[in-house]
Amino acid sequence: MTDTHQQPQPGNACVDGFQKTSVLIVDDEERIRHVCTQMLTKEGYDVAQAANADIGLEMVAQRHFDIILLDLLMPGISGLEALEQIREMHPDTVVIVITGYATLDHAVNAMKNGAFDFVSKPFSPQDLRIVVSKAIEHIRTLQDITNEKSRVRTMINHLAGGVMATDNCKVVALANHAFLNFVDHRGETPIGRPVTDLVKDQKILAMIDQALAMPGDQFAELNDEITVASGADGEERIIEVRCVPFRDRLDRNLGTITVMHDVTALKRMDQMKSEFVAMVSHEIRGPLNSVLMQHKVILDELAGEITEKQREILTRAYDKISALVELSTELLDLAKMESGLIAVDKERLQLASILEDQLAFHLPKAQSKSIALELIPLPELPPVLANRRNMEEVLSNLITNAINYTPEGGRVAIGAEIDGLFVCMKVSDTGYGIPKEELDQIFKRFYRVKTEKTRLVIGTGLGLPIVKKIVETHNGHIQVQSEEGQGSTFTVCIPAA
Ligand code: ADP
């Protein structure tokens, strides 16, 4: 964005490319009018003059002047009276009063009544130049603010996204057309009214409260999604809502900005993509399983004897196909969850028994790697509202990873504790750990940390994305702490029932 503000240039009145700065001189002294006109015309201003306030006011009624040099002491209408009328007709005109000899009181009085500055007789061309330059700078600043406001207003009004601003008393300060459409507001302008008159959605109102309560040293964008019915057919639209506080120089919250985006099309596309992946992986998994079975028949020599060389080749092929089956199963699980194809039935569950079952299930694998798999004594835990199979899958994935990424002789501990309104399950290991810069990547699909130590572990990079998706569908959260070479702790928190 280029800055339109230019320094006032006394010698060139056509600074902004629009018009020359117009100046009206209202003074009954012909000599003063003459000197001022000569000097200002030479500097490039568009100068007009009036011999008394009556004529001056007539001219002001006809056209707009940027600056008026107004003598205070004139026969007929006084300068002060004229000042009042000018301010009424053109509040943005800058009035500089010309005061008589040693009449400072008059000047002060005129400034109290809205004059911008004064110049006392007798004055030199330099005095006049200074006071007019100051006036021009003032006009430019005001113009810049107005231009900026107009630019921002036009931009906001033409955005496809909805934008609304409130002040810190939750009064609407701005709302563009898109926002009014999103909240289905018709009729009178909501500007100046409480935000609750405009927005009915409790999630958005809570976000505004939260943004306003955010301490000055913290800045976080609040995100959520809401569903609104739109159009004559009442079709549902998914709207992404973001809310942030805006602040003054001292970081005090001045109000909030709420932005809304229609993400229905994106969500639909994402769902179609997931459905497609689910369909493809399902179709692939069937034939792959059958190839696997046939390999097994040959390997078990049920179809005749095989040589050592053939066994070696077939075993390698069998392992590769097994990995593909595993991949397609995990892809299918994830895609099903993402597309919402499977309904997640929830029940009141005691996580303690699931933890114990999972420990027993994974014990043989841990023992085969000489890893001590332990259950940390559990406190009394409230039940959670969750899907049993999902919870088993979460724990199974985390324990499998802990065993896979811990060298022989290590330790894996599982446990659970209460944290506020959540029950949190923990899986800790003394394994390879995860580099800090990769910690937020491991929940992405197919992401695998590649180090000398993890390179040999077979995996798909889909376990943690599945875990994360399950946790999200249960309104919970997952966290990981890890130190390279020291081990990792995964914590999954599910709301207590
Ligand atoms: P994978 O099938 O590769 O195990 P995941 O999605 O379960 O896929 O995990 C992603 C990556 O995160 C893994 O490849 C591994 O590098 C890292 N990771 C997961 N759990 C652990 C752990 N307990 N210790 C060290 N690294 C881990």
Side-chain angles (χ1 to χ4, degrees):
M1 194 157 56
T2 51
D3 190 355
T4 54
H5 182 89
Q6 297 166 22
Q7 285 306 308
Q9 299 165 23
N12 172 17
C14 191
V15 197
D16 55 8
F18 288 107
Q19 281 176 337
K20 288 182 171 188
T21 306
S22 54
V23 184
L24 173 66
I25 304 154
V26 188
D27 199 310
D28 57 332
E29 270 188 67
E30 213 264 315
R31 193 183 51 84
I32 298 272
R33 291 202 308 275
H34 178 71
V35 172
C36 291
T37 305
Q38 247 197 342
M39 191 218 109
L40 294 173
T41 311
K42 212 161 85 196
E43 300 255 326
Y45 298 107
D46 167 18
V47 187
Q49 38 173 296
N52 59 44
D54 278 306
I55 302 174
L57 285 173
E58 244 172 66
M59 292 171 78
V60 171
Q62 303 286 324
R63 62 174 278 210
H64 174 267
F65 288 95
D66 296 312
I67 300 170
I68 297 179
L69 287 162
L70 180 67
D71 186 14
L72 278 188
L73 284 178
M74 285 179 288
I77 299 178
S78 78
L80 266 185
E81 265 179 77
L83 171 65
E84 205 182 309
Q85 291 189 38
I86 293 168
R87 305 250 336 127
E88 259 174 39
M89 281 189 273
H90 296 290
D92 61 321
T93 293
V94 173
V95 180
I96 299 166
V97 292
I98 304 172
T99 59
Y101 310 92
T103 48
L104 194 63
D105 284 355
H106 288 164
V108 172
N109 207 7
M111 300 220 0
K112 276 188 192 155
N113 284 293
F116 171 73
D117 207 345
F118 69 94
V119 57
S120 307
K121 289 176 188 170
F123 53 83
S124 65
Q126 181 59 7
D127 294 338
L128 184 65
R129 195 175 286 122
I130 290 172
V131 83
V132 171
S133 293
K134 252 170 67 186
I136 292 197
E137 196 162 347
H138 176 72
I139 291 171
R140 293 249 146 243
T141 309
L142 290 183
Q143 203 167 321
D144 275 356
I145 295 171
T146 316
N147 292 353
E148 195 57 43
K149 265 186 169 172
S150 153
R151 195 168 20 203
V152 171
R153 197 178 310 125
T154 312
M155 226 153 62
I156 289 177
N157 275 334
H158 287 83
L159 285 175
V163 181
M164 182 208 43
T166 69
D167 65 14
N168 58 0
C169 299
K170 290 190 273 180
V171 169
V172 179
L174 173 157
N176 69 356
H177 303 310
F179 191 92
L180 299 183
N181 263 337
F182 280 135
V183 295
D184 203 19
H185 178 86
R186 310 258 175 275
E188 273 177 35
T189 171
I191 311 290
R193 303 229 313 260
V195 70
T196 43
D197 284 5
L198 175 64
V199 178
K200 304 292 174 209
D201 189 286
Q202 291 305 317
K203 272 191 187 173
I204 304 181
L205 294 174
M207 283 164 94
I208 292 173
D209 282 339
Q210 224 180 315
L212 276 178
M214 209 180 282
D217 57 353
Q218 181 193 332
F219 185 84
E221 188 184 73
L222 307 165
N223 281 297
D224 213 330
E225 258 176 28
I226 60 165
T227 317
V228 296
S230 80
D233 52 359
E235 201 187 326
E236 277 202 340
R237 284 192 298 164
I238 305 164
I239 311 293
E240 182 193 77
V241 185
R242 279 179 281 151
C243 186
V244 284
F246 64 93
R247 305 204 160 117
D248 66 6
R249 284 184 302 128
L250 301 174
D251 277 340
R252 289 173 298 208
N253 288 342
L254 290 179
T256 60
I257 306 275
T258 306
V259 180
M260 290 172 115
H261 275 291
D262 189 338
V263 290
T264 318
L266 270 177
K267 289 272 166 186
R268 280 202 192 123
M269 233 152 68
D270 219 38
Q271 189 179 4
M272 275 165 63
K273 201 178 68 190
S274 299
E275 283 171 11
F276 176 74
V277 173
M279 194 261 286
V280 172
S281 32
H282 183 260
E283 291 302 309
I284 288 176
R285 207 171 51 145
L288 278 181
N289 261 326
S290 129
V291 173
L292 208 58
M293 294 307 296
Q294 287 160 24
H295 266 75
K296 182 114 176 62
V297 168
I298 300 172
L299 277 171
D300 290 349
E301 298 196 329
L302 297 174
E305 268 185 36
I306 51 173
T307 65
E308 258 328 287
K309 189 72 195 161
Q310 286 167 336
R311 175 175 302 280
E312 195 191 314
I313 295 169
L314 277 174
T315 305
R316 254 187 278 140
Y318 184 88
D319 287 348
K320 294 266 185 240
I321 297 167
S322 295
L324 271 177
V325 171
E326 174 76 11
L327 175 68
S328 54
T329 305
E330 294 201 335
L331 259 179
L332 183 60
D333 281 354
L334 187 59
K336 270 189 192 163
M337 265 185 284
E338 284 180 341
S339 63
L341 280 176
I342 40 167
V344 180
D345 296 327
K346 293 177 186 163
E347 55 181 306
R348 283 166 79 88
L349 278 184
Q350 289 296 343
L351 288 177
S353 67
I354 297 181
L355 281 158
E356 283 156 8
D357 289 351
Q358 286 299 316
L359 181 104
F361 181 78
H362 289 278
L363 212 48
K365 170 119 196 256
Q367 279 166 351
S368 73
K369 259 186 97 178
S370 308
I371 288 173
L373 177 59
E374 301 161 359
L375 180 67
I376 298 166
L378 298 172
E380 190 73 31
L381 294 172
V384 294
L385 195 63
N387 178 281
R388 176 179 290 276
R389 255 188 50 93
N390 279 178
M391 291 302 106
E392 286 169 354
E393 193 160 359
V394 164
L395 270 174
S396 182
N397 264 308
L398 295 180
I399 299 172
T400 305
N401 277 351
I403 295 173
N404 280 346
Y405 299 105
T406 298
E408 288 195 4
R411 181 174 165 261
V412 173
I414 61 176
E417 59 193 26
I418 304 166
D419 183 2
L421 299 173
F422 293 85
V423 178
C424 298
M425 300 180 279
K426 275 186 196 294
V427 177
S428 313
D429 62 61
T430 56
Y432 307 131
I434 302 156
K436 276 210 164 30
E437 60 280 9
E438 291 183 78
L439 274 179
D440 52 350
Q441 311 276 351
I442 55 171
F443 294 99
K444 292 184 182 161
R445 275 175 249 184
F446 303 112
Y447 193 87
R448 308 200 66 220
V449 178
K450 290 190 182 73
T451 63
E452 261 317 293
K453 295 191 176 111
T454 59
R455 207 169 43 89
L456 297 174
V457 180
I458 294 169
T460 58
L462 286 172
L464 288 179
I466 291 176
V467 168
K468 186 165 174 252
K469 189 72 205 170
I470 292 176
V471 173
E472 278 170 3
T473 44
H474 283 80
N475 301 318
H477 50 266
I478 180 163
Q479 204 195 330
V480 53
Q481 282 165 323
S482 188
E483 195 74 49
E484 258 190 289
Q486 304 285 314
S488 314
T489 300
F490 285 79
T491 310
V492 167
C493 298
I494 304 292

Short mmCIF file of all heavy atoms in Angstrom, two decimals, residues 330 397-398 401-406 429 431-434 442-444 446-450 454 457-465 482 487-488 490, ligand 1:
data_model
loop_
_atom_site.label_atom_id
_atom_site.label_comp_id
_atom_site.label_asym_id
_atom_site.label_seq_id
_atom_site.Cartn_x
_atom_site.Cartn_y
_atom_site.Cartn_z
N GLU A 330 -5.57 -48.92 7.68
CA GLU A 330 -5.48 -47.65 8.41
C GLU A 330 -6.07 -46.51 7.59
O GLU A 330 -6.74 -45.64 8.12
CB GLU A 330 -4.03 -47.38 8.80
CG GLU A 330 -3.54 -48.40 9.81
CD GLU A 330 -2.35 -47.93 10.62
OE1 GLU A 330 -1.61 -47.07 10.14
OE2 GLU A 330 -2.17 -48.47 11.73
N ASN A 397 -2.64 -47.96 19.55
CA ASN A 397 -1.69 -47.24 18.69
C ASN A 397 -0.55 -46.65 19.50
O ASN A 397 0.62 -46.74 19.11
CB ASN A 397 -2.42 -46.10 17.97
CG ASN A 397 -2.85 -46.52 16.58
OD1 ASN A 397 -2.06 -47.01 15.81
ND2 ASN A 397 -4.12 -46.34 16.29
N LEU A 398 -0.90 -46.01 20.63
CA LEU A 398 0.14 -45.34 21.43
C LEU A 398 1.10 -46.36 22.05
O LEU A 398 2.32 -46.15 22.09
CB LEU A 398 -0.50 -44.46 22.51
CG LEU A 398 -1.32 -43.27 22.01
CD1 LEU A 398 -1.89 -42.47 23.18
CD2 LEU A 398 -0.47 -42.35 21.12
N ASN A 401 3.34 -47.85 19.30
CA ASN A 401 4.41 -46.90 18.98
C ASN A 401 5.48 -46.89 20.06
O ASN A 401 6.68 -46.92 19.78
CB ASN A 401 3.85 -45.48 18.85
CG ASN A 401 3.25 -45.23 17.48
OD1 ASN A 401 3.40 -46.05 16.57
ND2 ASN A 401 2.57 -44.12 17.32
N ALA A 402 5.03 -46.83 21.33
CA ALA A 402 5.99 -46.77 22.44
C ALA A 402 6.92 -47.98 22.39
O ALA A 402 8.14 -47.85 22.58
CB ALA A 402 5.24 -46.69 23.76
N ILE A 403 6.35 -49.17 22.11
CA ILE A 403 7.20 -50.38 22.06
C ILE A 403 8.11 -50.33 20.82
O ILE A 403 9.31 -50.60 20.90
CB ILE A 403 6.31 -51.66 22.04
CG1 ILE A 403 5.54 -51.77 23.36
CG2 ILE A 403 7.16 -52.90 21.80
CD1 ILE A 403 4.52 -52.88 23.41
N ASN A 404 7.50 -49.90 19.68
CA ASN A 404 8.28 -49.88 18.44
C ASN A 404 9.46 -48.91 18.49
O ASN A 404 10.50 -49.16 17.91
CB ASN A 404 7.39 -49.44 17.27
CG ASN A 404 6.54 -50.59 16.77
OD1 ASN A 404 6.80 -51.75 17.12
ND2 ASN A 404 5.53 -50.29 15.99
N TYR A 405 9.23 -47.74 19.15
CA TYR A 405 10.27 -46.71 19.12
C TYR A 405 11.08 -46.67 20.42
O TYR A 405 11.62 -45.64 20.79
CB TYR A 405 9.64 -45.34 18.80
CG TYR A 405 8.97 -45.36 17.44
CD1 TYR A 405 7.59 -45.41 17.32
CD2 TYR A 405 9.73 -45.36 16.27
CE1 TYR A 405 6.98 -45.46 16.07
CE2 TYR A 405 9.13 -45.42 15.02
CZ TYR A 405 7.75 -45.47 14.93
OH TYR A 405 7.16 -45.54 13.69
N THR A 406 11.12 -47.81 21.13
CA THR A 406 11.95 -47.91 22.32
C THR A 406 12.92 -49.07 22.12
O THR A 406 12.48 -50.16 21.71
CB THR A 406 11.06 -48.15 23.58
OG1 THR A 406 10.21 -47.03 23.73
CG2 THR A 406 11.89 -48.32 24.84
N ASP A 429 7.42 -43.60 27.41
CA ASP A 429 8.46 -44.59 27.11
C ASP A 429 9.83 -43.99 27.33
O ASP A 429 9.97 -42.78 27.50
CB ASP A 429 8.31 -45.12 25.67
CG ASP A 429 8.46 -44.04 24.63
OD1 ASP A 429 9.54 -43.42 24.57
OD2 ASP A 429 7.50 -43.79 23.87
N GLY A 431 12.20 -44.33 25.08
CA GLY A 431 12.73 -44.64 23.75
C GLY A 431 13.51 -43.53 23.08
O GLY A 431 14.09 -42.66 23.74
N TYR A 432 13.46 -43.56 21.73
CA TYR A 432 14.29 -42.67 20.93
C TYR A 432 13.91 -41.20 21.06
O TYR A 432 14.71 -40.31 20.79
CB TYR A 432 14.21 -43.05 19.44
CG TYR A 432 14.51 -44.51 19.18
CD1 TYR A 432 13.67 -45.28 18.39
CD2 TYR A 432 15.66 -45.11 19.71
CE1 TYR A 432 13.93 -46.62 18.14
CE2 TYR A 432 15.93 -46.44 19.47
CZ TYR A 432 15.07 -47.20 18.69
OH TYR A 432 15.33 -48.51 18.46
N GLY A 433 12.65 -40.94 21.39
CA GLY A 433 12.18 -39.56 21.45
C GLY A 433 11.97 -38.98 20.06
O GLY A 433 12.26 -39.63 19.04
N ILE A 434 11.45 -37.75 20.02
CA ILE A 434 11.12 -37.11 18.73
C ILE A 434 11.78 -35.72 18.72
O ILE A 434 11.66 -34.98 19.70
CB ILE A 434 9.58 -36.96 18.59
CG1 ILE A 434 8.91 -38.34 18.68
CG2 ILE A 434 9.19 -36.26 17.29
CD1 ILE A 434 7.48 -38.31 19.12
N ILE A 442 4.09 -34.91 13.54
CA ILE A 442 3.83 -36.35 13.61
C ILE A 442 2.34 -36.70 13.58
O ILE A 442 2.00 -37.85 13.37
CB ILE A 442 4.48 -36.99 14.86
CG1 ILE A 442 4.02 -36.26 16.13
CG2 ILE A 442 5.99 -36.98 14.75
CD1 ILE A 442 4.44 -36.97 17.40
N PHE A 443 1.47 -35.69 13.73
CA PHE A 443 0.04 -35.98 13.66
C PHE A 443 -0.49 -35.83 12.24
O PHE A 443 -1.66 -36.01 11.99
CB PHE A 443 -0.73 -35.08 14.63
CG PHE A 443 -0.40 -35.36 16.06
CD1 PHE A 443 0.51 -34.57 16.75
CD2 PHE A 443 -0.96 -36.44 16.71
CE1 PHE A 443 0.85 -34.84 18.06
CE2 PHE A 443 -0.63 -36.73 18.03
CZ PHE A 443 0.28 -35.93 18.70
N LYS A 444 0.42 -35.46 11.31
CA LYS A 444 -0.02 -35.32 9.92
C LYS A 444 0.03 -36.67 9.23
O LYS A 444 0.90 -37.50 9.54
CB LYS A 444 0.90 -34.35 9.17
CG LYS A 444 0.77 -32.93 9.65
CD LYS A 444 1.62 -32.01 8.82
CE LYS A 444 1.49 -30.60 9.35
NZ LYS A 444 2.59 -29.76 8.91
N PHE A 446 0.80 -39.70 7.06
CA PHE A 446 2.00 -40.30 6.44
C PHE A 446 3.33 -39.73 6.95
O PHE A 446 4.38 -40.06 6.43
CB PHE A 446 1.98 -40.16 4.89
CG PHE A 446 0.75 -40.76 4.27
CD1 PHE A 446 -0.21 -39.97 3.66
CD2 PHE A 446 0.54 -42.14 4.32
CE1 PHE A 446 -1.35 -40.53 3.11
CE2 PHE A 446 -0.60 -42.70 3.77
CZ PHE A 446 -1.55 -41.89 3.16
N TYR A 447 3.27 -38.85 7.96
CA TYR A 447 4.54 -38.27 8.43
C TYR A 447 5.26 -39.29 9.32
O TYR A 447 4.68 -39.83 10.26
CB TYR A 447 4.30 -36.97 9.21
CG TYR A 447 5.61 -36.23 9.41
CD1 TYR A 447 6.06 -35.35 8.45
CD2 TYR A 447 6.41 -36.48 10.53
CE1 TYR A 447 7.28 -34.69 8.59
CE2 TYR A 447 7.63 -35.84 10.68
CZ TYR A 447 8.05 -34.95 9.71
OH TYR A 447 9.26 -34.32 9.85
N ARG A 448 6.51 -39.54 9.03
CA ARG A 448 7.32 -40.43 9.85
C ARG A 448 8.67 -39.77 10.10
O ARG A 448 9.26 -39.20 9.18
CB ARG A 448 7.54 -41.78 9.13
CG ARG A 448 6.24 -42.43 8.66
CD ARG A 448 6.42 -43.90 8.41
NE ARG A 448 6.69 -44.61 9.63
CZ ARG A 448 7.59 -45.61 9.73
NH1 ARG A 448 8.29 -45.97 8.69
NH2 ARG A 448 7.79 -46.20 10.89
N VAL A 449 9.12 -39.83 11.35
CA VAL A 449 10.42 -39.23 11.67
C VAL A 449 11.50 -40.17 11.12
O VAL A 449 11.45 -41.38 11.34
CB VAL A 449 10.59 -39.10 13.21
CG1 VAL A 449 11.96 -38.53 13.54
CG2 VAL A 449 9.49 -38.21 13.77
N LYS A 450 12.42 -39.58 10.36
CA LYS A 450 13.44 -40.45 9.76
C LYS A 450 14.79 -40.20 10.41
O LYS A 450 15.45 -39.20 10.13
CB LYS A 450 13.52 -40.19 8.25
CG LYS A 450 12.28 -40.69 7.55
CD LYS A 450 12.42 -40.68 6.05
CE LYS A 450 11.14 -41.14 5.40
NZ LYS A 450 10.07 -40.14 5.48
N THR A 454 15.03 -44.87 13.85
CA THR A 454 13.62 -45.18 13.53
C THR A 454 13.48 -45.75 12.11
O THR A 454 12.42 -46.25 11.76
CB THR A 454 12.74 -43.91 13.64
OG1 THR A 454 13.26 -42.93 12.75
CG2 THR A 454 12.73 -43.35 15.04
N VAL A 457 12.09 -49.24 11.72
CA VAL A 457 10.76 -49.58 12.25
C VAL A 457 9.75 -49.48 11.11
O VAL A 457 9.69 -48.46 10.41
CB VAL A 457 10.35 -48.62 13.39
CG1 VAL A 457 8.99 -48.97 13.93
CG2 VAL A 457 11.41 -48.62 14.48
N ILE A 458 8.98 -50.55 10.92
CA ILE A 458 8.00 -50.53 9.82
C ILE A 458 6.74 -49.81 10.31
O ILE A 458 6.27 -50.02 11.43
CB ILE A 458 7.65 -51.97 9.39
CG1 ILE A 458 8.90 -52.61 8.77
CG2 ILE A 458 6.50 -51.98 8.38
CD1 ILE A 458 8.78 -54.08 8.54
N GLY A 459 6.19 -48.92 9.51
CA GLY A 459 4.98 -48.20 9.90
C GLY A 459 4.38 -47.49 8.71
O GLY A 459 4.96 -47.48 7.62
N THR A 460 3.21 -46.90 8.91
CA THR A 460 2.49 -46.26 7.81
C THR A 460 2.44 -44.74 7.96
O THR A 460 2.13 -44.03 7.01
CB THR A 460 1.04 -46.76 7.76
OG1 THR A 460 0.44 -46.46 9.03
CG2 THR A 460 0.96 -48.24 7.50
N GLY A 461 2.67 -44.24 9.17
CA GLY A 461 2.52 -42.80 9.40
C GLY A 461 1.05 -42.41 9.52
O GLY A 461 0.70 -41.23 9.39
N LEU A 462 0.19 -43.41 9.77
CA LEU A 462 -1.24 -43.08 9.87
C LEU A 462 -1.80 -43.31 11.28
O LEU A 462 -2.92 -42.91 11.58
CB LEU A 462 -2.04 -43.94 8.88
CG LEU A 462 -1.92 -43.53 7.42
CD1 LEU A 462 -2.59 -44.55 6.52
CD2 LEU A 462 -2.53 -42.16 7.19
N GLY A 463 -0.98 -43.94 12.13
CA GLY A 463 -1.47 -44.25 13.49
C GLY A 463 -1.85 -43.00 14.27
O GLY A 463 -2.97 -42.90 14.79
N LEU A 464 -0.94 -42.04 14.34
CA LEU A 464 -1.23 -40.83 15.14
C LEU A 464 -2.35 -39.97 14.54
O LEU A 464 -3.16 -39.44 15.29
CB LEU A 464 0.05 -40.02 15.36
CG LEU A 464 1.04 -40.66 16.34
CD1 LEU A 464 2.30 -39.81 16.49
CD2 LEU A 464 0.41 -40.90 17.71
N PRO A 465 -2.42 -39.82 13.18
CA PRO A 465 -3.58 -39.10 12.65
C PRO A 465 -4.91 -39.75 13.05
O PRO A 465 -5.88 -39.05 13.34
CB PRO A 465 -3.38 -39.15 11.13
CG PRO A 465 -1.91 -39.31 10.95
CD PRO A 465 -1.43 -40.10 12.13
N SER A 482 8.42 -34.76 24.51
CA SER A 482 9.45 -35.71 24.09
C SER A 482 10.82 -35.06 24.13
O SER A 482 10.96 -33.86 23.91
CB SER A 482 9.13 -36.20 22.68
OG SER A 482 10.01 -37.24 22.34
N GLY A 487 13.07 -40.22 25.60
CA GLY A 487 11.76 -40.86 25.59
C GLY A 487 10.64 -39.88 25.33
O GLY A 487 10.87 -38.68 25.16
N SER A 488 9.42 -40.42 25.28
CA SER A 488 8.26 -39.58 24.94
C SER A 488 7.10 -39.91 25.87
O SER A 488 7.00 -41.02 26.40
CB SER A 488 7.77 -39.86 23.52
OG SER A 488 8.86 -39.89 22.64
N PHE A 490 2.89 -39.45 25.62
CA PHE A 490 1.68 -39.02 24.92
C PHE A 490 0.54 -38.97 25.94
O PHE A 490 0.35 -39.93 26.71
CB PHE A 490 1.32 -39.99 23.79
CG PHE A 490 2.21 -39.84 22.58
CD1 PHE A 490 3.48 -40.40 22.56
CD2 PHE A 490 1.78 -39.12 21.47
CE1 PHE A 490 4.32 -40.24 21.45
CE2 PHE A 490 2.60 -38.97 20.36
CZ PHE A 490 3.88 -39.52 20.35
P1 ADP B 1 3.94 -45.02 12.28
O1 ADP B 1 3.12 -46.04 11.57
O2 ADP B 1 5.10 -44.55 11.49
O3 ADP B 1 4.32 -45.44 13.65
P2 ADP B 1 2.41 -42.91 13.55
O4 ADP B 1 1.46 -41.94 12.93
O5 ADP B 1 1.89 -43.77 14.63
O6 ADP B 1 2.98 -43.74 12.35
O7 ADP B 1 3.63 -42.09 14.10
C1 ADP B 1 4.24 -41.11 13.29
C2 ADP B 1 5.70 -40.97 13.64
O8 ADP B 1 5.85 -40.40 14.94
C3 ADP B 1 6.43 -42.25 13.71
O9 ADP B 1 6.91 -42.65 12.44
C4 ADP B 1 7.58 -41.96 14.67
O10 ADP B 1 8.62 -41.39 13.96
C5 ADP B 1 6.99 -40.93 15.59
N1 ADP B 1 6.56 -41.53 16.87
C6 ADP B 1 5.32 -41.88 17.24
N2 ADP B 1 5.30 -42.37 18.49
C7 ADP B 1 6.57 -42.32 18.95
C8 ADP B 1 7.22 -42.66 20.19
N3 ADP B 1 6.55 -43.17 21.22
N4 ADP B 1 8.54 -42.44 20.28
C9 ADP B 1 9.25 -41.92 19.25
N5 ADP B 1 8.70 -41.59 18.06
C10 ADP B 1 7.38 -41.77 17.91
#
